[in-house]
Amino acid sequence: MPQPDTDSDERLAIVVVRSGGIAGLSKQWRAEPDADHAARWRELVESCPWDAPPPPTSGADRYQWRIEVHHGGAPVHQARLGDGQVEGVWRTLVDEVREAAQPRPRGR
């Protein structure tokens, strides 16, 4: 009898959306770490102050950031931050997601 695919049920996904700026365009990055890297990503996610994110700031032509964490397809964390508030552990998380979302060069 086939076993249920628990790996997909436990899948961690982190989505970062940056909007605003002069052109008002949005850009999105998504990281879905594999099982070998999931523990490090969970630690990074849990280091962020989700229960007390700073209130978003506004300003003309400033970026706004939305950070979401999904576990097993269900959203578990969400924060909205102004550009100047993406610092410390928030900056680390955003940078890691952006790096993970970059296409990898293919070998020849």
mmCIF file of all heavy atoms in Angstrom, residues 36-84:
data_model
loop_
_atom_site.group_PDB
_atom_site.id
_atom_site.type_symbol
_atom_site.label_atom_id
_atom_site.label_comp_id
_atom_site.label_asym_id
_atom_site.label_seq_id
_atom_site.Cartn_x
_atom_site.Cartn_y
_atom_site.Cartn_z
ATOM 1 N N ASP A 36 16.704 18.634 3.501
ATOM 2 C CA ASP A 36 18.052 18.771 4.052
ATOM 3 C C ASP A 36 18.319 20.158 4.634
ATOM 4 O O ASP A 36 19.177 20.313 5.500
ATOM 5 C CB ASP A 36 19.107 18.483 2.982
ATOM 6 C CG ASP A 36 19.116 17.025 2.550
ATOM 7 O OD1 ASP A 36 18.603 16.168 3.310
ATOM 8 O OD2 ASP A 36 19.625 16.742 1.450
ATOM 9 N N HIS A 37 17.612 21.173 4.155
ATOM 10 C CA HIS A 37 17.848 22.547 4.598
ATOM 11 C C HIS A 37 16.686 23.128 5.408
ATOM 12 O O HIS A 37 16.761 24.267 5.869
ATOM 13 C CB HIS A 37 18.123 23.441 3.386
ATOM 14 C CG HIS A 37 19.338 23.025 2.635
ATOM 15 N ND1 HIS A 37 19.286 22.237 1.504
ATOM 16 C CD2 HIS A 37 20.649 23.248 2.874
ATOM 17 C CE1 HIS A 37 20.506 22.014 1.073
ATOM 18 N NE2 HIS A 37 21.361 22.612 1.884
ATOM 19 N N ALA A 38 15.634 22.372 5.588
ATOM 20 C CA ALA A 38 14.425 22.891 6.249
ATOM 21 C C ALA A 38 14.680 23.342 7.683
ATOM 22 O O ALA A 38 14.147 24.364 8.115
ATOM 23 C CB ALA A 38 13.311 21.851 6.208
ATOM 24 N N ALA A 39 15.489 22.617 8.440
ATOM 25 C CA ALA A 39 15.735 22.983 9.840
ATOM 26 C C ALA A 39 16.385 24.367 9.939
ATOM 27 O O ALA A 39 15.994 25.181 10.776
ATOM 28 C CB ALA A 39 16.603 21.931 10.519
ATOM 29 N N ARG A 40 17.359 24.641 9.084
ATOM 30 C CA ARG A 40 18.015 25.963 9.102
ATOM 31 C C ARG A 40 17.025 27.068 8.760
ATOM 32 O O ARG A 40 17.004 28.132 9.376
ATOM 33 C CB ARG A 40 19.190 25.982 8.116
ATOM 34 C CG ARG A 40 19.970 27.296 8.152
ATOM 35 C CD ARG A 40 21.093 27.296 7.141
ATOM 36 N NE ARG A 40 20.639 27.451 5.784
ATOM 37 C CZ ARG A 40 20.281 28.628 5.236
ATOM 38 N NH1 ARG A 40 20.306 29.731 5.944
ATOM 39 N NH2 ARG A 40 19.901 28.691 3.982
ATOM 40 N N TRP A 41 16.152 26.809 7.772
ATOM 41 C CA TRP A 41 15.156 27.797 7.384
ATOM 42 C C TRP A 41 14.139 28.018 8.498
ATOM 43 O O TRP A 41 13.732 29.149 8.757
ATOM 44 C CB TRP A 41 14.458 27.385 6.096
ATOM 45 C CG TRP A 41 15.277 27.719 4.893
ATOM 46 C CD1 TRP A 41 16.205 26.928 4.282
ATOM 47 C CD2 TRP A 41 15.255 28.940 4.155
ATOM 48 N NE1 TRP A 41 16.756 27.588 3.209
ATOM 49 C CE2 TRP A 41 16.188 28.825 3.107
ATOM 50 C CE3 TRP A 41 14.530 30.116 4.276
ATOM 51 C CZ2 TRP A 41 16.408 29.844 2.189
ATOM 52 C CZ3 TRP A 41 14.751 31.131 3.351
ATOM 53 C CH2 TRP A 41 15.682 30.990 2.334
ATOM 54 N N ARG A 42 13.708 26.937 9.157
ATOM 55 C CA ARG A 42 12.752 27.087 10.269
ATOM 56 C C ARG A 42 13.359 27.939 11.375
ATOM 57 O O ARG A 42 12.690 28.787 11.954
ATOM 58 C CB ARG A 42 12.332 25.722 10.819
ATOM 59 C CG ARG A 42 11.256 25.078 10.018
ATOM 60 C CD ARG A 42 10.694 23.845 10.744
ATOM 61 N NE ARG A 42 10.114 22.969 9.761
ATOM 62 C CZ ARG A 42 10.725 21.945 9.186
ATOM 63 N NH1 ARG A 42 11.952 21.639 9.511
ATOM 64 N NH2 ARG A 42 10.122 21.214 8.280
ATOM 65 N N GLU A 43 14.631 27.709 11.675
ATOM 66 C CA GLU A 43 15.316 28.499 12.696
ATOM 67 C C GLU A 43 15.348 29.973 12.306
ATOM 68 O O GLU A 43 15.089 30.853 13.129
ATOM 69 C CB GLU A 43 16.730 27.956 12.878
ATOM 70 C CG GLU A 43 17.511 28.636 13.975
ATOM 71 C CD GLU A 43 18.893 28.021 14.136
ATOM 72 O OE1 GLU A 43 19.001 26.796 14.214
ATOM 73 O OE2 GLU A 43 19.867 28.804 14.163
ATOM 74 N N LEU A 44 15.648 30.247 11.055
ATOM 75 C CA LEU A 44 15.671 31.629 10.565
ATOM 76 C C LEU A 44 14.284 32.268 10.663
ATOM 77 O O LEU A 44 14.139 33.389 11.148
ATOM 78 C CB LEU A 44 16.168 31.645 9.117
ATOM 79 C CG LEU A 44 16.295 32.994 8.434
ATOM 80 C CD1 LEU A 44 17.205 33.933 9.209
ATOM 81 C CD2 LEU A 44 16.795 32.812 7.013
ATOM 82 N N VAL A 45 13.262 31.546 10.241
ATOM 83 C CA VAL A 45 11.883 32.050 10.299
ATOM 84 C C VAL A 45 11.478 32.334 11.739
ATOM 85 O O VAL A 45 10.910 33.379 12.051
ATOM 86 C CB VAL A 45 10.911 31.044 9.639
ATOM 87 C CG1 VAL A 45 9.474 31.330 10.021
ATOM 88 C CG2 VAL A 45 11.072 31.058 8.125
ATOM 89 N N GLU A 46 11.776 31.401 12.643
ATOM 90 C CA GLU A 46 11.359 31.554 14.038
ATOM 91 C C GLU A 46 12.138 32.634 14.770
ATOM 92 O O GLU A 46 11.713 33.088 15.828
ATOM 93 C CB GLU A 46 11.442 30.217 14.771
ATOM 94 C CG GLU A 46 10.456 29.192 14.243
ATOM 95 C CD GLU A 46 9.000 29.669 14.214
ATOM 96 O OE1 GLU A 46 8.563 30.380 15.152
ATOM 97 O OE2 GLU A 46 8.304 29.355 13.228
ATOM 98 N N SER A 47 13.280 33.081 14.220
ATOM 99 C CA SER A 47 14.045 34.145 14.862
ATOM 100 C C SER A 47 13.418 35.525 14.630
ATOM 101 O O SER A 47 13.766 36.488 15.301
ATOM 102 C CB SER A 47 15.492 34.131 14.375
ATOM 103 O OG SER A 47 15.569 34.555 13.024
ATOM 104 N N CYS A 48 12.476 35.608 13.692
ATOM 105 C CA CYS A 48 11.814 36.884 13.399
ATOM 106 C C CYS A 48 10.695 37.158 14.401
ATOM 107 O O CYS A 48 9.997 36.234 14.819
ATOM 108 C CB CYS A 48 11.242 36.864 11.978
ATOM 109 S SG CYS A 48 12.497 36.789 10.697
ATOM 110 N N PRO A 49 10.499 38.419 14.781
ATOM 111 C CA PRO A 49 9.463 38.766 15.765
ATOM 112 C C PRO A 49 8.069 38.870 15.130
ATOM 113 O O PRO A 49 7.501 39.954 14.996
ATOM 114 C CB PRO A 49 9.946 40.112 16.307
ATOM 115 C CG PRO A 49 10.694 40.721 15.163
ATOM 116 C CD PRO A 49 11.341 39.564 14.435
ATOM 117 N N TRP A 50 7.494 37.728 14.747
ATOM 118 C CA TRP A 50 6.204 37.712 14.059
ATOM 119 C C TRP A 50 5.071 38.279 14.910
ATOM 120 O O TRP A 50 4.146 38.879 14.374
ATOM 121 C CB TRP A 50 5.866 36.283 13.630
ATOM 122 C CG TRP A 50 6.849 35.738 12.670
ATOM 123 C CD1 TRP A 50 7.887 34.898 12.954
ATOM 124 C CD2 TRP A 50 6.937 36.009 11.269
ATOM 125 N NE1 TRP A 50 8.610 34.630 11.809
ATOM 126 C CE2 TRP A 50 8.038 35.296 10.762
ATOM 127 C CE3 TRP A 50 6.184 36.779 10.387
ATOM 128 C CZ2 TRP A 50 8.406 35.325 9.417
ATOM 129 C CZ3 TRP A 50 6.550 36.813 9.058
ATOM 130 C CH2 TRP A 50 7.648 36.101 8.582
ATOM 131 N N ASP A 51 5.133 38.079 16.220
ATOM 132 C CA ASP A 51 4.059 38.556 17.085
ATOM 133 C C ASP A 51 4.143 40.052 17.332
ATOM 134 O O ASP A 51 3.178 40.653 17.786
ATOM 135 C CB ASP A 51 4.086 37.817 18.430
ATOM 136 C CG ASP A 51 3.737 36.349 18.265
ATOM 137 O OD1 ASP A 51 2.999 36.013 17.312
ATOM 138 O OD2 ASP A 51 4.219 35.531 19.075
ATOM 139 N N ALA A 52 5.278 40.634 17.034
ATOM 140 C CA ALA A 52 5.450 42.062 17.285
ATOM 141 C C ALA A 52 6.267 42.723 16.191
ATOM 142 O O ALA A 52 7.270 43.376 16.461
ATOM 143 C CB ALA A 52 6.120 42.262 18.639
ATOM 144 N N PRO A 53 5.855 42.569 14.911
ATOM 145 C CA PRO A 53 6.611 43.277 13.879
ATOM 146 C C PRO A 53 6.397 44.780 14.035
ATOM 147 O O PRO A 53 5.365 45.209 14.552
ATOM 148 C CB PRO A 53 6.000 42.771 12.566
ATOM 149 C CG PRO A 53 4.623 42.363 12.928
ATOM 150 C CD PRO A 53 4.700 41.876 14.363
ATOM 151 N N PRO A 54 7.360 45.566 13.637
ATOM 152 C CA PRO A 54 7.164 47.014 13.734
ATOM 153 C C PRO A 54 6.018 47.436 12.823
ATOM 154 O O PRO A 54 5.771 46.810 11.794
ATOM 155 C CB PRO A 54 8.490 47.595 13.256
ATOM 156 C CG PRO A 54 9.157 46.502 12.495
ATOM 157 C CD PRO A 54 8.631 45.217 13.020
ATOM 158 N N PRO A 55 5.285 48.493 13.212
ATOM 159 C CA PRO A 55 4.209 48.957 12.331
ATOM 160 C C PRO A 55 4.792 49.464 11.024
ATOM 161 O O PRO A 55 5.860 50.072 11.015
ATOM 162 C CB PRO A 55 3.545 50.089 13.123
ATOM 163 C CG PRO A 55 4.545 50.507 14.134
ATOM 164 C CD PRO A 55 5.436 49.323 14.388
ATOM 165 N N PRO A 56 4.118 49.178 9.894
ATOM 166 C CA PRO A 56 4.652 49.632 8.610
ATOM 167 C C PRO A 56 4.730 51.148 8.548
ATOM 168 O O PRO A 56 3.895 51.843 9.107
ATOM 169 C CB PRO A 56 3.678 49.089 7.578
ATOM 170 C CG PRO A 56 2.585 48.424 8.308
ATOM 171 C CD PRO A 56 2.882 48.470 9.774
ATOM 172 N N THR A 57 5.749 51.632 7.905
ATOM 173 C CA THR A 57 5.886 53.066 7.695
ATOM 174 C C THR A 57 5.487 53.378 6.262
ATOM 175 O O THR A 57 5.491 52.509 5.401
ATOM 176 C CB THR A 57 7.335 53.521 7.930
ATOM 177 O OG1 THR A 57 8.187 52.777 7.071
ATOM 178 C CG2 THR A 57 7.758 53.306 9.372
ATOM 179 N N SER A 58 5.160 54.589 6.037
ATOM 180 C CA SER A 58 4.817 54.977 4.678
ATOM 181 C C SER A 58 5.713 56.129 4.261
ATOM 182 O O SER A 58 6.356 56.759 5.074
ATOM 183 C CB SER A 58 3.343 55.385 4.586
ATOM 184 O OG SER A 58 3.108 56.486 5.437
ATOM 185 N N GLY A 59 5.725 56.378 3.003
ATOM 186 C CA GLY A 59 6.521 57.465 2.468
ATOM 187 C C GLY A 59 6.458 57.384 0.961
ATOM 188 O O GLY A 59 6.295 56.304 0.398
ATOM 189 N N ALA A 60 6.567 58.507 0.339
ATOM 190 C CA ALA A 60 6.511 58.533 -1.118
ATOM 191 C C ALA A 60 7.652 57.720 -1.705
ATOM 192 O O ALA A 60 8.802 57.835 -1.279
ATOM 193 C CB ALA A 60 6.585 59.976 -1.612
ATOM 194 N N ASP A 61 7.300 56.889 -2.660
ATOM 195 C CA ASP A 61 8.279 56.109 -3.421
ATOM 196 C C ASP A 61 9.137 55.179 -2.570
ATOM 197 O O ASP A 61 10.250 54.841 -2.948
ATOM 198 C CB ASP A 61 9.191 57.024 -4.238
ATOM 199 C CG ASP A 61 8.398 57.877 -5.209
ATOM 200 O OD1 ASP A 61 7.345 57.414 -5.685
ATOM 201 O OD2 ASP A 61 8.822 59.008 -5.477
ATOM 202 N N ARG A 62 8.629 54.766 -1.434
ATOM 203 C CA ARG A 62 9.358 53.821 -0.585
ATOM 204 C C ARG A 62 8.812 52.419 -0.823
ATOM 205 O O ARG A 62 7.627 52.237 -1.058
ATOM 206 C CB ARG A 62 9.177 54.175 0.898
ATOM 207 C CG ARG A 62 9.638 55.553 1.289
ATOM 208 C CD ARG A 62 11.099 55.661 1.460
ATOM 209 N NE ARG A 62 11.602 54.582 2.270
ATOM 210 C CZ ARG A 62 12.583 54.668 3.110
ATOM 211 N NH1 ARG A 62 13.188 55.809 3.267
ATOM 212 N NH2 ARG A 62 12.995 53.646 3.789
ATOM 213 N N TYR A 63 9.677 51.431 -0.747
ATOM 214 C CA TYR A 63 9.225 50.049 -0.889
ATOM 215 C C TYR A 63 8.449 49.606 0.344
ATOM 216 O O TYR A 63 8.745 50.035 1.460
ATOM 217 C CB TYR A 63 10.406 49.096 -1.082
ATOM 218 C CG TYR A 63 11.071 49.204 -2.427
ATOM 219 C CD1 TYR A 63 12.426 49.459 -2.525
ATOM 220 C CD2 TYR A 63 10.347 49.039 -3.596
ATOM 221 C CE1 TYR A 63 13.048 49.542 -3.753
ATOM 222 C CE2 TYR A 63 10.963 49.123 -4.836
ATOM 223 C CZ TYR A 63 12.308 49.378 -4.902
ATOM 224 O OH TYR A 63 12.921 49.457 -6.125
ATOM 225 N N GLN A 64 7.477 48.762 0.121
ATOM 226 C CA GLN A 64 6.752 48.077 1.179
ATOM 227 C C GLN A 64 7.013 46.588 0.991
ATOM 228 O O GLN A 64 7.080 46.107 -0.146
ATOM 229 C CB GLN A 64 5.248 48.371 1.100
ATOM 230 C CG GLN A 64 4.902 49.841 1.296
ATOM 231 C CD GLN A 64 5.241 50.335 2.691
ATOM 232 O OE1 GLN A 64 4.870 49.715 3.684
ATOM 233 N NE2 GLN A 64 5.953 51.450 2.768
ATOM 234 N N TRP A 65 7.147 45.861 2.065
ATOM 235 C CA TRP A 65 7.480 44.442 2.020
ATOM 236 C C TRP A 65 6.391 43.621 2.700
ATOM 237 O O TRP A 65 5.908 43.990 3.769
ATOM 238 C CB TRP A 65 8.805 44.187 2.741
ATOM 239 C CG TRP A 65 9.960 44.883 2.114
ATOM 240 C CD1 TRP A 65 10.337 46.195 2.305
ATOM 241 C CD2 TRP A 65 10.893 44.335 1.192
ATOM 242 N NE1 TRP A 65 11.450 46.480 1.545
ATOM 243 C CE2 TRP A 65 11.817 45.356 0.864
ATOM 244 C CE3 TRP A 65 11.049 43.085 0.617
ATOM 245 C CZ2 TRP A 65 12.871 45.159 -0.014
ATOM 246 C CZ3 TRP A 65 12.109 42.887 -0.251
ATOM 247 C CH2 TRP A 65 13.005 43.915 -0.557
ATOM 248 N N ARG A 66 6.016 42.519 2.080
ATOM 249 C CA ARG A 66 5.115 41.547 2.697
ATOM 250 C C ARG A 66 5.874 40.229 2.755
ATOM 251 O O ARG A 66 6.408 39.777 1.743
ATOM 252 C CB ARG A 66 3.829 41.379 1.893
ATOM 253 C CG ARG A 66 2.812 40.494 2.601
ATOM 254 C CD ARG A 66 1.524 40.353 1.817
ATOM 255 N NE ARG A 66 1.715 39.346 0.774
ATOM 256 C CZ ARG A 66 1.490 39.534 -0.517
ATOM 257 N NH1 ARG A 66 1.075 40.691 -0.971
ATOM 258 N NH2 ARG A 66 1.679 38.564 -1.394
ATOM 259 N N ILE A 67 5.944 39.665 3.935
ATOM 260 C CA ILE A 67 6.665 38.413 4.136
ATOM 261 C C ILE A 67 5.661 37.401 4.671
ATOM 262 O O ILE A 67 4.981 37.668 5.666
ATOM 263 C CB ILE A 67 7.829 38.595 5.126
ATOM 264 C CG1 ILE A 67 8.747 39.732 4.650
ATOM 265 C CG2 ILE A 67 8.594 37.285 5.303
ATOM 266 C CD1 ILE A 67 9.736 40.210 5.679
ATOM 267 N N GLU A 68 5.564 36.267 3.994
ATOM 268 C CA GLU A 68 4.634 35.211 4.394
ATOM 269 C C GLU A 68 5.379 33.893 4.511
ATOM 270 O O GLU A 68 6.261 33.604 3.701
ATOM 271 C CB GLU A 68 3.528 35.024 3.356
ATOM 272 C CG GLU A 68 2.666 36.228 3.149
ATOM 273 C CD GLU A 68 1.627 36.023 2.057
ATOM 274 O OE1 GLU A 68 1.628 34.953 1.400
ATOM 275 O OE2 GLU A 68 0.819 36.928 1.860
ATOM 276 N N VAL A 69 4.981 33.105 5.494
ATOM 277 C CA VAL A 69 5.517 31.756 5.655
ATOM 278 C C VAL A 69 4.347 30.794 5.614
ATOM 279 O O VAL A 69 3.347 30.980 6.314
ATOM 280 C CB VAL A 69 6.281 31.618 6.989
ATOM 281 C CG1 VAL A 69 6.786 30.195 7.172
ATOM 282 C CG2 VAL A 69 7.419 32.615 7.063
ATOM 283 N N HIS A 70 4.476 29.781 4.775
ATOM 284 C CA HIS A 70 3.448 28.744 4.634
ATOM 285 C C HIS A 70 4.077 27.413 5.025
ATOM 286 O O HIS A 70 5.212 27.129 4.661
ATOM 287 C CB HIS A 70 2.955 28.671 3.187
ATOM 288 C CG HIS A 70 2.357 29.955 2.713
ATOM 289 N ND1 HIS A 70 1.020 30.193 2.715
ATOM 290 C CD2 HIS A 70 2.949 31.089 2.249
ATOM 291 C CE1 HIS A 70 0.788 31.411 2.256
ATOM 292 N NE2 HIS A 70 1.948 31.981 1.971
ATOM 293 N N HIS A 71 3.324 26.635 5.765
ATOM 294 C CA HIS A 71 3.792 25.305 6.159
ATOM 295 C C HIS A 71 2.713 24.307 5.795
ATOM 296 O O HIS A 71 1.583 24.425 6.262
ATOM 297 C CB HIS A 71 4.084 25.269 7.657
ATOM 298 C CG HIS A 71 4.780 24.033 8.095
ATOM 299 N ND1 HIS A 71 4.252 23.183 9.006
ATOM 300 C CD2 HIS A 71 5.981 23.503 7.725
ATOM 301 C CE1 HIS A 71 5.081 22.173 9.198
ATOM 302 N NE2 HIS A 71 6.137 22.351 8.429
ATOM 303 N N GLY A 72 3.057 23.376 4.913
ATOM 304 C CA GLY A 72 2.065 22.415 4.450
ATOM 305 C C GLY A 72 0.944 23.081 3.673
ATOM 306 O O GLY A 72 -0.187 22.620 3.669
ATOM 307 N N GLY A 73 1.235 24.218 3.041
ATOM 308 C CA GLY A 73 0.248 24.930 2.242
ATOM 309 C C GLY A 73 -0.557 25.961 3.020
ATOM 310 O O GLY A 73 -1.217 26.808 2.444
ATOM 311 N N ALA A 74 -0.533 25.889 4.342
ATOM 312 C CA ALA A 74 -1.305 26.827 5.166
ATOM 313 C C ALA A 74 -0.409 27.978 5.635
ATOM 314 O O ALA A 74 0.732 27.750 6.040
ATOM 315 C CB ALA A 74 -1.884 26.115 6.377
ATOM 316 N N PRO A 75 -0.917 29.216 5.590
ATOM 317 C CA PRO A 75 -0.112 30.339 6.076
ATOM 318 C C PRO A 75 0.040 30.260 7.596
ATOM 319 O O PRO A 75 -0.921 30.001 8.308
ATOM 320 C CB PRO A 75 -0.915 31.574 5.667
ATOM 321 C CG PRO A 75 -2.301 31.091 5.420
ATOM 322 C CD PRO A 75 -2.217 29.636 5.081
ATOM 323 N N VAL A 76 1.262 30.444 8.082
ATOM 324 C CA VAL A 76 1.506 30.401 9.523
ATOM 325 C C VAL A 76 2.046 31.725 10.064
ATOM 326 O O VAL A 76 1.901 31.999 11.252
ATOM 327 C CB VAL A 76 2.440 29.239 9.922
ATOM 328 C CG1 VAL A 76 1.769 27.909 9.706
ATOM 329 C CG2 VAL A 76 3.753 29.289 9.177
ATOM 330 N N HIS A 77 2.660 32.519 9.219
ATOM 331 C CA HIS A 77 3.182 33.827 9.634
ATOM 332 C C HIS A 77 2.995 34.810 8.491
ATOM 333 O O HIS A 77 3.094 34.445 7.329
ATOM 334 C CB HIS A 77 4.681 33.774 9.950
ATOM 335 C CG HIS A 77 5.067 32.932 11.107
ATOM 336 N ND1 HIS A 77 4.660 33.184 12.391
ATOM 337 C CD2 HIS A 77 5.855 31.826 11.172
ATOM 338 C CE1 HIS A 77 5.170 32.280 13.203
ATOM 339 N NE2 HIS A 77 5.899 31.434 12.480
ATOM 340 N N GLN A 78 2.772 36.084 8.860
ATOM 341 C CA GLN A 78 2.732 37.143 7.866
ATOM 342 C C GLN A 78 3.121 38.452 8.536
ATOM 343 O O GLN A 78 2.723 38.717 9.675
ATOM 344 C CB GLN A 78 1.342 37.280 7.256
ATOM 345 C CG GLN A 78 1.299 38.344 6.170
ATOM 346 C CD GLN A 78 -0.029 38.372 5.430
ATOM 347 O OE1 GLN A 78 -0.696 37.370 5.302
ATOM 348 N NE2 GLN A 78 -0.390 39.537 4.948
ATOM 349 N N ALA A 79 3.907 39.253 7.831
ATOM 350 C CA ALA A 79 4.300 40.568 8.328
ATOM 351 C C ALA A 79 4.343 41.542 7.161
ATOM 352 O O ALA A 79 4.659 41.160 6.035
ATOM 353 C CB ALA A 79 5.661 40.508 9.007
ATOM 354 N N ARG A 80 4.012 42.783 7.441
ATOM 355 C CA ARG A 80 4.134 43.877 6.474
ATOM 356 C C ARG A 80 5.075 44.901 7.080
ATOM 357 O O ARG A 80 4.872 45.351 8.204
ATOM 358 C CB ARG A 80 2.779 44.511 6.196
ATOM 359 C CG ARG A 80 1.854 43.580 5.451
ATOM 360 C CD ARG A 80 0.529 44.285 5.106
ATOM 361 N NE ARG A 80 -0.359 43.375 4.441
ATOM 362 C CZ ARG A 80 -0.391 43.175 3.126
ATOM 363 N NH1 ARG A 80 0.423 43.846 2.345
ATOM 364 N NH2 ARG A 80 -1.236 42.321 2.591
ATOM 365 N N LEU A 81 6.106 45.247 6.302
ATOM 366 C CA LEU A 81 7.136 46.141 6.795
ATOM 367 C C LEU A 81 7.428 47.235 5.780
ATOM 368 O O LEU A 81 7.356 46.999 4.574
ATOM 369 C CB LEU A 81 8.437 45.365 7.048
ATOM 370 C CG LEU A 81 8.353 44.160 7.984
ATOM 371 C CD1 LEU A 81 9.648 43.371 7.919
ATOM 372 C CD2 LEU A 81 8.058 44.595 9.389
ATOM 373 N N GLY A 82 7.766 48.406 6.291
ATOM 374 C CA GLY A 82 8.268 49.464 5.436
ATOM 375 C C GLY A 82 9.731 49.186 5.107
ATOM 376 O O GLY A 82 10.405 48.407 5.786
ATOM 377 N N ASP A 83 10.235 49.827 4.090
ATOM 378 C CA ASP A 83 11.593 49.586 3.621
ATOM 379 C C ASP A 83 12.626 49.752 4.732
ATOM 380 O O ASP A 83 13.530 48.936 4.874
ATOM 381 C CB ASP A 83 11.907 50.509 2.448
ATOM 382 C CG ASP A 83 13.044 50.000 1.581
ATOM 383 O OD1 ASP A 83 13.176 48.762 1.446
ATOM 384 O OD2 ASP A 83 13.777 50.828 1.034
ATOM 385 N N GLY A 84 12.493 50.774 5.538
ATOM 386 C CA GLY A 84 13.450 51.027 6.609
ATOM 387 C C GLY A 84 13.354 50.044 7.761
ATOM 388 O O GLY A 84 14.235 50.005 8.623
#
